[in-house]
C-alpha cells in the first residue's frame, strides 16, 4: 500500500480505508479505548498515587513529609492493624464454604427440580438487598431475643443459653461471615448455573446415553466446562475475604473485635486522617492479595494437570463399562416393554 | 396415571435406592437453604407492619395484628426523603447500565474475535484490576475525583461507577466463545463491516448475557453506598436509595418497626425488577445463544 504512486495516493488511501485490515484496526481501537481509559483513570492511576502516598506522613490537605518505610513498620507494630488481618481467615473459610455451596446448589438446580425457579429466585434474592439495609436487617436478626433466638427456641434452645451474637467475641465474627454467605451465595450460584447452561447440551445427552451418573456428569462435563468462572470466583473470593468490609462496617461498625482490616483502614484514613498510613495498609494488603493469587494459580495448574493425566484412562474404562451395562439394561427394558405391550394387547383382545 | 409413570421410570432404569436418597437430600438442602435466605427478610416485613405498642409488647416473629398498617412505610418514606432518592438512583442506574453494557460488550467482542498485539495484555490488566479492591484505592481515588471536580455531581459518580466491571466482561467473553465464528465469517463474505456484525448479529445473540449483567451491575449500582456516601456528600439533594437509609441511624436507631419499613421500601424496587427480569435471565441463559 505504501509503495503506490503519488498520483493515485489519495485514491489508494480511500481504498485502504476499505480494506479489512484497516477496519479491523479501527474497530479494535474504537472499542477498547474507553474501557482502557476508565481502567487507567480509576484503577491504575490511583494505584500509582497510593504507592507514592504510602511513603509520606500526610493528611488529605496540608504538608507532606517523607518518612520512608515508617508507615509499613507501623502496620506490624500496631496491634489493632495486624490483629484485623487475622480476621480475614474467618472470611476465607466462609468464602470457600460459599463457593462449594453455590456449586452444589447450581448443580442441583440445573437438573430437573420441582419449583426449581422458585428456589433459584429465593436463594438469589438476598444479593439484591443493599448493604445499608442488610446492616439493619442483621442487627435486628441477631439482637438478643429477636429473630435468630426465636427460631432457635422453636427447635429447643433456651434463649438464656444463647450467646449475644454480635457482642460475644467467640462467635460474633462467624455471625458476620454468615451474613456475607447469606448475601453472596446466590450470586455465585447464578453465575455457575449460567456457565453450566452454556456448556453444549449435546455433551449431557451423550453422557446420559453412555450411562454417566450425576456426579460423573458434574466432574467430567460440568466442572471442566465452567473452570474459568469457578477459578475467577475463587480468586475473587480470596480477594474478597482479605478485603472483607461490608458486614463489619454496616452491622457492627467494627466494634467488639469485629473490625476487619479495611474497616480499620477506613477509620485511620477518615477519622484519624492518617492518609499515609492508610495507603501503606492498602499497598500491603494488595501485595498479600497478589501473593495469594499467584500461589493459588500455581496450585491450581498443578492440581488440574495431575488429575487429568491420571484419570483419563481410568475414566475411559469406567465409561465404557457403564455404557455396556446401560445398553444391556436398555435392551432388557425394551424387551420387557414389548412383552408387556403384547400382553396388554392380548388382554384387550380377550 | 401413577402406573404409567412408574412404567416409564422402569424403562429409564432410574428408581434405585440411591436415587431416592438423592432426591430427598436434594429437596432437603434446597428447602433448608431457602428457609435461611427468607427468614431475615420475612422478620422485617412482619415488624414493618407493627404499631409502636405492638412492636414493644410482642415477639418479633409474632405476626402483626393488622397487615394493612402502612403508617410506618409512609413515615419512613417521608423521613428519609425517599422520593428524591428514588429519582437520583433511577438517573444513576440508567446511565451507568447503558454505559457499562456498551463498553463491556464492545471490549469483549474485540478481545474474543481479534488476535492483535496487546490482546493478552489487556486481558491481564483487567484480571489484575479485579484483584485490587475498590475500597483500598479509595484513599487515592478521592484525590483524583477531587481534581477532576467530580465530587458532589451525579455525572462524576456515574462515570466512576461505569468504570471497570471485570465479572461482566468475563461473562460476555464466555458468551462470545459459544457464538460460532462461522456467523461472523459468513457475514464478512456478504460484505458486512465489523460494526454491522457486532451490532446487527452478535449483540442480539448476546442478549441473555446482557440481561444477566444488567441484573448484576444494576443491583451493584442501586445498592452501592460507600462511594455514594463519599462522593455525593450533599445528602439534601444527592441522596440515593441506599444512602437515604442512613437517616435511620442515630436517634431513630431502635425504632425497628420504622426502620424495617424503610428497609422494605428500599428493597421493593429490586424485588419488582427481579421478578420481571427473572424469566428472561433464566430463559436467556438456558436457551443460550449457541443455537441461533
Amino acid at each position: 500500500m505504501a509503495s503506490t504512486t503519488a498520483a493515485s495516493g489519495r485514491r489508494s488511501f480511500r481504498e485502504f480505508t476499505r480494506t479489512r485490515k484497516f477496519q479491523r484496526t479501527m474497530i479494535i481501537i474504537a472499542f477498547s479505548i474507553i474501557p482502557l481509559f476508565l481502567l487507567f483513570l480509576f484503577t491504575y492511576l490511583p494505584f500509582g498515587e497510593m504507592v507514592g502516598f504510602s511513603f509520606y506522613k500526610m493528611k488529605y490537605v496540608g504538608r507532606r513529609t517523607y518518612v520512608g518505610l515508617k508507615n509499613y513498620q507501623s502496620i506490624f507494630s500496631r496491634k489493632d492493624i495486624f490483629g484485623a488481618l487475622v480476621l480475614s481467615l474467618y472470611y476465607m473459610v466462609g468464602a470457600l464454604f460459599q463457593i462449594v455451596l453455590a456449586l452444589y446448589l447450581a448443580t442441583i438446580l440445573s437438573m430437573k427440580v420441582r419449583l426449581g425457579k422458585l428456589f433459584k429466585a429465593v436463594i438469589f434474592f438476598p444479593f439484591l438487598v443493599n448493604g445499608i439495609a442488610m446492616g439493619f436487617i442483621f442487627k435486628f436478626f441477631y439482637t438478643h431475643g429477636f429473630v435468630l433466638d426465636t427460631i432457635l427456641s422453636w427447635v429447643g434452645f433456651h434463649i438464656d443459653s444463647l450467646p449475644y451474637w454480635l457482642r460475644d467475641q467467640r462467635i460474633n465474627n462467624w455471625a458476620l461471615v454468615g451474613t456475607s454467605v447469606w448475601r453472596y451465595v446466590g450470586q455465585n450460584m447464578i453465575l455457575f448455573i449460567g456457565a453450566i447452561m452454556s456448556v453444549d447440551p449435546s455433551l449431557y445427552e451423550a453422557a446420559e446415553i453412555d450411562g454417566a451418573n450425576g456426579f460423573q456428569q458434574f466432574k467430567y462435563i460440568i466442572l471442566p466446562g465452567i473452570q474459568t468462572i469457578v477459578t475467577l470466583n475463587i480468586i475473587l473470593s480470596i480477594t474478597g475475604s482479605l478485603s472483607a468490609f461490608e458486614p463489619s462496617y454496616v452491622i457492627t461498625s467494627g466494634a467488639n473485635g469485629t473490625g476487619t482490616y479495611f474497616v480499620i483502614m477506613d477509620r485511620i484514613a477518615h477519622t484519624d486522617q492518617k492518609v499515609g498510613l492508610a495507603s501503606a495498609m492498602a499497598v500491603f494488603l494488595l501485595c498479600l492479595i497478589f501473593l495469594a493469587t499467584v500461589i493459588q494459580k500455581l496450585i491450581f495448574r498443578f492440581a488440574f494437570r495431575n488429575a487429568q493425566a491420571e484419570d483419563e484412562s481410568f475414566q475411559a474404562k469406567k465409561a465404557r463399562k457403564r455404557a455396556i451395562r446401560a445398553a444391556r439394561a436398555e435392551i432388557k427394558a425394551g424387551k420387557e416393554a414389548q412383552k408387556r405391550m403384547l400382553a396388554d394387547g392380548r388382554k384387550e383382545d380377550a | 396415571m401413577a402406573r404409567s409413570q412408574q412404567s416409564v421410570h422402569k424403562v429409564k432404569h432410574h428408581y434405585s435406592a440411591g436415587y431416592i436418597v438423592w432426591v430427598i437430600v436434594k429437596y432437603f438442602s434446597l428447602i433448608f437453604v431457602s428457609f435461611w435466605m427468607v427468614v431475615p427478610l420475612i422478620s422485617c416485613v412482619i415488624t414493618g407492619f407493627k404499631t409502636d405498642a405492638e412492636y414493644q409488647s410482642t415477639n418479633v416473629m409474632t405476626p402483626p395484628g393488622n397487615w394493612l398498617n402502612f403508617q410506618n412505610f409512609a413515615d419512613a418514606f417521608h423521613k428519609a426523603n425517599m422520593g428524591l432518592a428514588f429519582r437520583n438512583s433511577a438517573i444513576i442506574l440508567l446511565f451507568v447500565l447503558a454505559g457499562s453494557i456498551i463498553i463491556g460488550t464492545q471490549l469483549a467482542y474485540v478481545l474474543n474475535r481479534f488476535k492483535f498485539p496487546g490482546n493478552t495484555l489487556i486481558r491481564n490488566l483487567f484480571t489484575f484490576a479485579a484483584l485490587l479492591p475498590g475500597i483500598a484505592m479509595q484513599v487515592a481515588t478521592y484525590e483524583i475525583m477531587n481534581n477532576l471536580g467530580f465530587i458532589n455531581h451525579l455525572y462524576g459518580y456515574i462515570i466512576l461507577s461505569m468504570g471497570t466491571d471485570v465479572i461482566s466482561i468475563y461473562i460476555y467473553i464466555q458468551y462470545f466463545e459459544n457464538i460460532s465464528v462461522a456467523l461472523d465469517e459468513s457475514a464478512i463474505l456478504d460484505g458486512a463491516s465489523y460494526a454491522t456484525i457486532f451490532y446487527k448479529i452478535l449483540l442480539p445473540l448476546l442478549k441473555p448475557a446482557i440481561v444477566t449483567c444488567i441484573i448484576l451491575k444494576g443491583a451493584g449500582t442501586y445498592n452501592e453506598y460507600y462511594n455514594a456516601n463519599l462522593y455525593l456528600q450533599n445528602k439534601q439533594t444527592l441522596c440515593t436509595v441506599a444512602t437515604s437509609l442512613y437517616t435511620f441511624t442515630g436517634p431513630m436507631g431502635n425504632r425497628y418497626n420504622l426502620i424495617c419499613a424503610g428497609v422494605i421500601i428500599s428493597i421493593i424496587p429490586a424485588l419488582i425488577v427481579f421478578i420481571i427480569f427473572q424469566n428472561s435471565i433464566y430463559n436467556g441463559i438456558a436457551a443460550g445463544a449457541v443455537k441461533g
Side-chain angles (χ1 to χ4, degrees), chain A residues 20 23-24 27-28 30-32 34-36 38-39 41-47 49-50 53 60 64 101 104-105 108-109 111-114 117 119-133 136-141 143 145-148 150-151 154 181-183 185 187 190-191 193-195 197-198 201 225 228-229 232 235-236 239 243 245-246 249-250 262 265-266 269-270 275 278-279 282 286 289-290 293 297 326 329-330 333 337 340, chain B residues 7 10-11 13 22 25-27 29-31 33-41 43-44 47 55 59-61 103 106-107 109-110 114-116 122 124-133 135-145 148 150 159-160 162-164 167 170-171 174 178 188 191-195 198-199 215-216 219 222-223 225-226 229-230 242 245-246 248-249 256 259-260 263 266-267 270-271 274 278-279 281-283 285-286 291:
Chain A
R20 280 285 155 195
Q23 283 191 7
R24 225 182 118 223
I27 204 101
I28 289 171
F31 278 10
S32 56
I34 297 175
L36 283 176
L38 287 177
L39 183 70
L41 186 64
F42 292 126
T43 305
Y44 288 102
L45 186 64
F47 179 66
E49 286 217 332
M50 202 172 63
F53 288 171
Y60 278 113
R64 307 173 176 189
L101 183 64
Y104 172 67
L105 293 170
I108 292 178
L109 286 172
M111 297 171 183
K112 266 184 194 149
V113 175
R114 256 166 231 268
K117 257 185 156 179
F119 284 124
K120 217 186 286 183
V122 164
I123 295 168
F124 178 69
F125 186 68
F127 179 66
L128 299 178
V129 174
N130 65 73
I132 305 292
F136 286 122
I137 289 173
F138 280 100
K139 266 183 229 165
F140 184 61
F141 183 79
T143 301
F146 279 22
V147 185
L148 181 58
T150 307
I151 290 166
W154 291 345
V181 174
W182 178 82
R183 185 153 182 220
V185 73
Q187 183 229 8
I190 290 295
L191 284 175
I193 290 177
M197 293 297 188
S198 67
T228 324
I229 202 101
L232 180 74
I235 294 172
L236 288 180
T239 321
S243 53
F245 176 73
E246 192 165 62
Y249 185 72
V250 297
F262 272 154
M265 189 194 85
D266 187 73
H270 289 119
V275 178
S279 294
L286 293 181
I289 286 172
F290 189 64
T293 312
K297 277 208 164 168
E330 211 132 303
R340 212 177 304 125
Chain B
S7 69
K10 253 184 206 162
V11 173
H13 61 83
W22 167 234
V25 168
K26 195 162 79 173
Y27 284 101
S29 13
L30 285 176
I31 291 168
V33 172
S34 302
F35 173 78
W36 287 109
M37 291 293 154
V38 161
V39 159
L41 298 171
S43 65
C44 248
T47 307
Y55 167 68
N59 181 285
V60 285
M61 294 302 278
I103 291 172
Q106 286 182 344
L107 185 70
Y109 169 66
V110 166
F114 301 112
K115 272 189 194 137
F116 59 93
I122 294 178
N124 287 341
L125 281 176
F126 275 93
T127 314
F128 185 70
L131 295 177
L132 309 173
I135 289 168
M137 319 289 274
Q138 168 274 319
V139 179
T141 308
Y142 187 86
E143 224 208 354
I144 291 169
M145 291 286 282
L148 290 170
F150 275 5
I159 293 172
L160 176 71
M162 235 158 51
T164 49
I167 278 271
Y170 263 85
I171 292 174
Q174 201 167 28
N178 287 321
I188 289 174
S193 70
Y194 288 114
F198 175 72
Y199 286 112
I215 296 282
L216 298 178
Y222 177 79
N223 293 336
Y225 62 93
Y226 187 84
N229 190 27
L230 199 61
L245 288 180
Y246 271 124
F248 297 115
T249 49
Y256 271 112
I259 292 172
C260 283
V263 164
S266 80
I267 293 173
L271 182 64
F274 175 58
Q278 183 199 21
N279 280 325
I281 234 193
Y282 302 145
N283 291 342
I285 291 169
K291 288 173 191 163

Side-chain angles (χ1 to χ4, degrees), chain A residues 11-287:
Chain A
R11 199 172 172 195
S12 71
F13 179 73
R14 200 179 293 160
E15 267 167 18
F16 175 64
T17 62
R18 292 209 186 112
T19 59
R20 280 285 155 195
K21 200 179 167 205
F22 178 78
Q23 283 191 7
R24 225 182 118 223
T25 315
M26 286 316 287
I27 204 101
I28 289 171
I29 294 172
F31 278 10
S32 56
I33 191 113
I34 297 175
L36 283 176
F37 177 70
L38 287 177
L39 183 70
F40 170 74
L41 186 64
F42 292 126
T43 305
Y44 288 102
L45 186 64
F47 179 66
E49 286 217 332
M50 202 172 63
V51 175
F53 288 171
S54 70
F55 297 109
Y56 287 87
K57 183 181 169 146
M58 59 182 277
K59 296 189 171 186
Y60 278 113
V61 284
R63 276 192 57 183
R64 307 173 176 189
T65 23
Y66 181 79
V67 291
L69 288 173
K70 217 175 137 222
N71 286 327
Y72 289 93
Q73 283 164 359
S74 338
I75 294 176
F76 295 95
S77 59
R78 279 181 63 151
K79 252 192 190 152
D80 55 338
I81 297 176
F82 204 70
L85 208 51
V86 180
L87 286 189
S88 41
L89 290 176
Y90 288 91
Y91 289 88
M92 232 171 261
V93 173
L96 288 178
F97 170 73
Q98 176 186 311
I99 286 189
V100 172
L101 183 64
L103 255 181
Y104 172 67
L105 293 170
T107 312
I108 292 178
L109 286 172
S110 54
M111 297 171 183
K112 266 184 194 149
V113 175
R114 256 166 231 268
L115 295 178
K117 257 185 156 179
L118 181 70
F119 284 124
K120 217 186 286 183
V122 164
I123 295 168
F124 178 69
F125 186 68
F127 179 66
L128 299 178
V129 174
N130 65 73
I132 305 292
M134 188 182 110
F136 286 122
I137 289 173
F138 280 100
K139 266 183 229 165
F140 184 61
F141 183 79
Y142 283 127
T143 301
H144 194 64
F146 279 22
V147 185
L148 181 58
D149 289 0
T150 307
I151 290 166
L152 289 177
S153 73
W154 291 345
V155 293
F157 286 93
H158 199 270
I159 285 188
D160 294 331
S161 70
L162 293 169
Y164 283 78
W165 299 104
L166 296 178
R167 260 189 265 163
D168 189 333
Q169 302 221 359
R170 285 166 303 173
I171 196 93
N172 57 8
N173 281 305
W174 290 120
L176 293 182
V177 169
T179 67
S180 170
V181 174
W182 178 82
R183 185 153 182 220
Y184 289 106
V185 73
Q187 183 229 8
N188 273 2
M189 183 190 78
I190 290 295
L191 284 175
F192 291 153
I193 290 177
I196 290 174
M197 293 297 188
S198 67
V199 173
D200 189 352
S202 63
L203 282 178
Y204 296 113
E205 283 160 29
E208 217 149 286
I209 290 168
D210 288 348
N213 64 23
F215 180 71
Q216 287 169 326
Q217 281 189 31
F218 174 76
K219 194 173 171 196
Y220 297 115
I221 301 173
I222 295 179
L223 203 54
I226 62 174
Q227 235 180 52
T228 324
I229 202 101
V230 172
T231 313
L232 180 74
N233 270 281
I234 291 177
I235 294 172
L236 288 180
S237 74
I238 294 281
T239 321
S241 48
L242 278 171
S243 53
F245 176 73
E246 192 165 62
S248 166
Y249 185 72
V250 297
I251 300 174
T252 59
S253 315
N256 295 314
T258 58
T260 60
Y261 192 77
F262 272 154
V263 174
I264 304 285
M265 189 194 85
D266 187 73
R267 195 182 293 158
I268 288 175
H270 289 119
T271 316
D272 307 351
Q273 289 262 323
K274 291 181 177 169
V275 178
L277 178 58
S279 294
M281 283 179 75
V283 172
F284 175 69
L285 195 78
L286 293 181
C287 292

Side-chain angles (χ1 to χ4, degrees), chain B residues 91-120:
Chain B
I91 294 170
I92 291 167
L93 269 178
L94 185 72
F95 283 100
V96 168
L97 287 180
S100 69
I101 289 168
I102 294 170
I103 291 172
T105 52
Q106 286 182 344
L107 185 70
Y109 169 66
V110 166
L111 289 181
N112 177 258
R113 288 303 205 243
F114 301 112
K115 272 189 194 137
F116 59 93
N119 188 320
T120 323

